[in-house]
């Protein structure tokens, strides 16, 4: 049994850098499936003396021990296949909890986003990328992708969900940090909470996030901003529950103590 036995890799790379990496994975036992253009395959096949009858030594050097399929990535069907493959690996990862499957799903989602920047489902795909990263405990990267999903696209069905997921990812990543790095990350998390509550004031968690943010600003001794946020909470309609009101009432009066 080899180190990567049972792992399947979809290779969307060309020429040298990517193919050399995936070839190593193939030699370690992974099943590497190379995706090529149906019109002639990877350009490396014809480089450095290759022809239609015989692939170049250059190509063979970096693509040994792989399988190959052709997909027209400029066609609607090609787009659908890439998306279906990404969802497949994501579903397999959720079932089997294998990091390699999550990583493959993330690579495919990223490839889709990079290759097809004008497709209408980019926000949904970006959200799925963030989910794959979060589920594989890559919380720092997940935070960035949730933020992009929430704020970089025109409003869409996943906007608010992604914005709240940003905060969950911040919390998860903070638990993995220590010292100054943790403090810096926490400060960014507080700012993200303010951004969320401002952008999505009607979200069911907005009042809880604002209350928490007021307390965190207070703990950071940023009293002016803590009081401002506390007063925002007190002004919410419908009114927040008694526990939140007690917290922000204390903070809102702290400048006068």
């Amino acid at each position: 049994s080899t180190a990567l036995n049972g792992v399947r890799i979809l290779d969307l790379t060309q020429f040298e850098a990517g193919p050399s990496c995936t070839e190593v994975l193939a030699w370690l036992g992974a099943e590497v499936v190379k995706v090529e253009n149906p019109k002639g395959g990877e350009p490396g096949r014809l480089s450095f003396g290759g022809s239609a009858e015989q692939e170049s030594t250059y190509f063979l050097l970096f693509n040994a021990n792989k399988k190959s399929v052709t997909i027209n990535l400029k066609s609607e069907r090609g787009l659908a296949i890439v998306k279906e493959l990404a969802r497949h690996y994501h579903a397999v990862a959720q079932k089997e909890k294998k990091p390699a499957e999550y990583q493959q799903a993330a690579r495919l989602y990223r490839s889709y986003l990079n290759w097809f920047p004008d497709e209408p489902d980019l926000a949904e795909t970006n959200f799925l990328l963030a989910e794959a990263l979060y589920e594989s405990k890559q919380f720092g990267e997940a935070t960035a992708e949730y933020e992009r999903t929430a704020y970089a696209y025109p409003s869409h069905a996943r906007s608010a969900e992604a914005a709240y997921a940003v905060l969950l990812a911040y919390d998860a990543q903070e638990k993995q940090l220590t010292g100054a790095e943790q403090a810096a990350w926490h400060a960014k998390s507080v700012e993200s909470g303010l951004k969320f509550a401002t952008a999505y004031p009607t979200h069911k968690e907005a009042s809880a996030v604002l209350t928490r943010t007021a307390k965190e600003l207070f703990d950071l001794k940023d009293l002016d901003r803590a009081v401002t946020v506390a007063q925002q909470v007190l002004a919410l309609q419908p009114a927040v529950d008694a526990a939140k009101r007690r917290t922000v009432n204390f903070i809102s009066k702290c400048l006068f103590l």
Side-chain angles (χ1 to χ4, degrees), residues 1-7 9 11 18-33 59-67:
S1 178
T2 52
L4 297 181
N5 185 46
V7 174
I9 304 293
D11 183 2
S20 63
C21 294
T22 52
E23 185 179 47
V24 171
L25 299 177
W27 289 123
L28 289 173
E31 179 187 5
V32 178
V33 181
F59 174 83
L60 296 174
L61 180 64
F62 297 113
N63 291 282
N65 206 28
K66 300 179 185 179
K67 297 179 179 179

Side-chain angles (χ1 to χ4, degrees), residues 180-208:
E181 190 177 11
Q182 185 184 61
W185 186 262
H186 180 72
K188 290 172 64 177
S189 174
V190 173
E191 297 302 323
S192 185
L194 282 174
K195 187 175 184 179
F196 164 78
T198 300
Y200 303 101
T202 60
H203 191 281
K204 65 179 182 178
E205 299 294 342
S207 64

Side-chain angles (χ1 to χ4, degrees), residues 57 67 100 127 137 143 153 167 176 181-182 201 203 226 254:
T57 302
K67 297 179 179 179
F127 182 84
K137 303 187 187 307
T143 301
Y153 298 95
L167 307 183
Q176 298 185 341
E181 190 177 11
Q182 185 184 61
H203 191 281
C254 71

Side-chain angles (χ1 to χ4, degrees), residues 35-80:
V35 176
E36 301 186 64
N37 189 323
K39 296 182 178 179
E42 184 199 316
R45 287 181 179 272
L46 302 181
S47 301
F48 302 102
S51 67
E53 290 74 33
Q54 177 62 53
E55 296 91 346
S56 67
T57 302
Y58 169 83
F59 174 83
L60 296 174
L61 180 64
F62 297 113
N63 291 282
N65 206 28
K66 300 179 185 179
K67 297 179 179 179
S68 180
V69 297
T70 60
I71 301 177
N72 181 1
L73 296 175
K74 294 184 179 180
S75 69
E76 289 188 10
R77 179 56 183 154
L79 288 175

Side-chain angles (χ1 to χ4, degrees), residues 2 20 29 67 83 99 139 155 168 181 222 226 234 237 255:
T2 52
S20 63
K67 297 179 179 179
K83 193 73 172 287
F139 300 123
S155 181
L168 301 180
E181 190 177 11
D222 191 344
L234 290 171
Q237 293 297 329
L255 288 183

